Amino acid sequence: MTHDMLHVTEWHNGEKDHSPFSDAEMTRRQTAVRDWMARNAVDAALFTSHHCINYYSGWLYCAFGRKYGMVLTQTASTTISAGVDGGQAWRRSFGGNVTYTDWRRDNFYRAVRQLTAGVKRLAIEFDTVSLDYRRLLEAALPGVEMVDISLPSMWMRTVKSPEEIALIRKGAAISDRGAAAAVACIRDGVPEYEVAIAATNAMIRDIAAAFPFVELMDTWTWFQSGINTDGAHNPVTNKRVARGDILSLNCFPMLFGYCTGLARTLFCGHADDASLDIWQKNLAVHRRGLDLIRPGARCNEIAAELNDLYRGWGLLRHRSFGYGHSFGVLGHYYGREAAVELREDVLTELQPGMVVSMEPMVMLPKGIAGAGGYREHDILIVTEDGAENISRFPVGPEHNIIPHAGRA
C-alpha cells in the first residue's frame, strides 16, 4: 500500500449548501443532545441512523452497503462519510465532516476511533445497531461503555420547532398539488404507473421551484387500483385502471429528509352502493379522528374511540393498521417516532408542536360487496388549543369519483 492511499481524511469541496434551517435551529438540536449527555455522564454520541444523522446534521446519506455516522461531543459535531460521496456530506453537514476510504475494510471504525479518543461512555442507537455492528464497534473501542440514545433522541424529535413546522406546511401544500396532477391523469385504461409519474413529477417540480438549492431525492407516489388497494403501501404496477375501480392515491414529497403525505380514496367514473356505504363510514371515522386530535389527548384513547365506531358497523375486523403517526424526519426506508402513533398500545399524550396524521383504513377482501381498501390521510399540527389540518385536497364521493374518467 502506498503512502498516498489515505484511510481517513477531509474531502471538503465547495461551500456549505442551502438549508431550510437556521444555524440557531441546528444548534438547538445539538444542544439538546449535549444537555442529555451531561445529565447522563456520556462523553460522546455516535449516531448511525438516517433519521438521527439528518436531524442533527442536516445531511441525509445514501447507504448503498456502506456505514455512515455522526459523532457529537461537547465541543464538536462531525459526520462520517465514505469516499464515494465526495464532498457532498461536507456541504450538507452542520459541523465538520471526515471521509473514510475503501482502502481498508475497517476504515469506518478507524474514523470513529479518531473522533472518540478518550471517550469512556459512548451513546449509540441500540435500535439501529445490529449485533454484528456492535461487536465491531466494541472491538474498535475497547473498554468503552455503550449506552442507548435511541429513545432520548426520538423524544427530542417528537415536538417540532417553528422552522420544522414551516417546512412541513410547505410539504403538505406540495402533496395537494401532486394529488391534483394525479387526478387530472386518471382515465379508464390508464396504467397505475402513469398516474404515479404525473403526481411525482409535479411534486418534484414544485420542490425544485421552492428553494434556492435542494437535493431532489426520494419523492414518490403510490397509486393503486382494484385489488391493489388492499395495502396502503403496495407498490405501483402496470395494471390498468377500469371504470368502477376503487383507487387509492398516496403522495409523498420529500424535503430535506422530511416527508409529508396525503392519501385519498377515489373511484374511476362510478362507485356502486356497497362501496359508497363503506366509504362514507370510513369518512365518518376520519372526521371523528380529526376532531379528537388535540393537546392532552392520549394516543390509545383516540384509537379506542375510533375502534368503537368501526365495531358498531361490524368493520373493526377489516381495519388494517394504526390510525396515524408522527411526521417530521421520516421516509419510506428510515425514521419512525414510535412514541407518537395512534394505536391502542401507545399511551403518549399529544402536545402542542407535535405533527400527526389521521389515516383510518379498512380493507374488504375480494368477494365481499364493496371490496377494496379505503383510506384517507391528513396531516395535523397540534396547537395550544386544538389542531390545525394542513391537508387541503378535497375528500369524499362529492369530489373523488372522477367524472372525466373516460377511456384513455
Side-chain angles (χ1 to χ4, degrees), residues 9 29 39-40 105 112 118 131 144 164-165 174 209 211 245 257-258 263 268 274 284 300 323 325 331 348-349 361 390:
T9 187
R29 300 180 188 188
R39 292 193 303 270
N40 292 274
R105 188 173 296 276
V112 173
L131 291 174
V144 174
E164 289 182 278
I165 288 174
I174 292 172
F211 302 96
D245 270 355
Y258 281 69
C268 179
N300 62 315
Y323 289 101
H325 58 82
T348 301
E349 186 175 288
M361 178 174 176
I390 59 172

Side-chain angles (χ1 to χ4, degrees), residues 76-249:
S77 64
T78 312
T79 52
I80 306 170
S81 59
V84 69
D85 301 294
Q88 185 253 7
W90 152 254
R91 294 190 295 272
R92 292 240 53 91
S93 295
F94 179 74
N97 166 263
V98 297
T99 295
Y100 72 92
T101 68
D102 289 343
W103 316 147
R104 279 180 55 169
R105 188 173 296 276
D106 64 348
N107 279 347
F108 172 79
Y109 300 98
R110 183 187 292 247
V112 173
R113 187 164 57 247
Q114 290 179 10
L115 294 171
T116 58
V119 166
K120 299 300 182 186
R121 277 169 58 86
L122 177 69
I124 63 172
E125 297 176 76
F126 282 13
D127 60 349
T128 58
V129 174
S130 68
L131 291 174
D132 186 55
Y133 199 157
R134 179 159 180 173
R135 178 182 61 80
L136 292 169
L137 272 177
E138 289 173 341
L141 305 171
V144 174
E145 180 186 359
M146 308 283 180
V147 299
D148 185 32
I149 197 172
S150 57
L151 287 176
S153 63
M154 177 195 67
W155 283 111
M156 293 175 203
R157 301 193 313 273
T158 56
V159 175
K160 315 308 176 193
S161 70
E163 291 186 23
E164 289 182 278
I165 288 174
L167 185 68
I168 291 168
R169 285 183 187 279
K170 187 166 291 188
I174 292 172
S175 299
D176 291 342
R177 290 194 286 274
V183 167
C185 184
I186 293 172
R187 297 285 190 280
D188 178 11
V190 71
E192 291 178 358
Y193 68 85
E194 290 291 353
V195 178
I197 287 170
T200 300
N201 285 353
M203 291 189 290
I204 289 172
R205 292 185 180 109
D206 269 5
I207 296 168
F211 302 96
F213 179 81
V214 60
E215 293 171 340
L216 298 167
M217 53 188 285
D218 298 329
T219 292
W220 83 104
T221 301
W222 282 318
F223 176 73
Q224 303 109 349
S225 63
I227 197 169
N228 288 349
T229 64
D230 64 351
H233 297 171
N234 289 356
V236 173
T237 75
N238 58 353
K239 177 182 178 299
R240 292 182 179 271
V241 171
R243 180 174 172 79
D245 270 355
I246 185 172
L247 313 173
S248 184
L249 174 64

Side-chain angles (χ1 to χ4, degrees), residues 2-19:
T2 62
H3 292 297
D4 60 351
M5 296 181 75
L6 300 171
H7 301 299
V8 178
T9 187
E10 292 183 343
W11 281 8
H12 300 174
N13 187 31
E15 305 299 327
K16 296 291 189 179
D17 282 332
H18 167 79
S19 169

Side-chain angles (χ1 to χ4, degrees), residues 278-327:
I278 301 301
W279 194 2
Q280 291 287 12
K281 287 171 178 172
N282 201 57
L283 284 165
V285 175
H286 180 66
R287 287 190 291 268
R288 182 56 183 155
L290 296 176
D291 291 340
L292 291 174
I293 294 175
R294 62 186 184 273
R298 292 191 179 275
C299 295
N300 62 315
E301 294 171 353
I302 293 172
E305 180 166 338
L306 298 182
N307 281 347
D308 285 344
L309 283 176
Y310 278 140
R311 187 179 288 111
W313 296 314
L315 287 173
L316 187 58
R317 64 193 177 97
H318 295 298
R319 195 190 118 194
S320 296
F321 53 87
Y323 289 101
H325 58 82
S326 182
F327 268 81

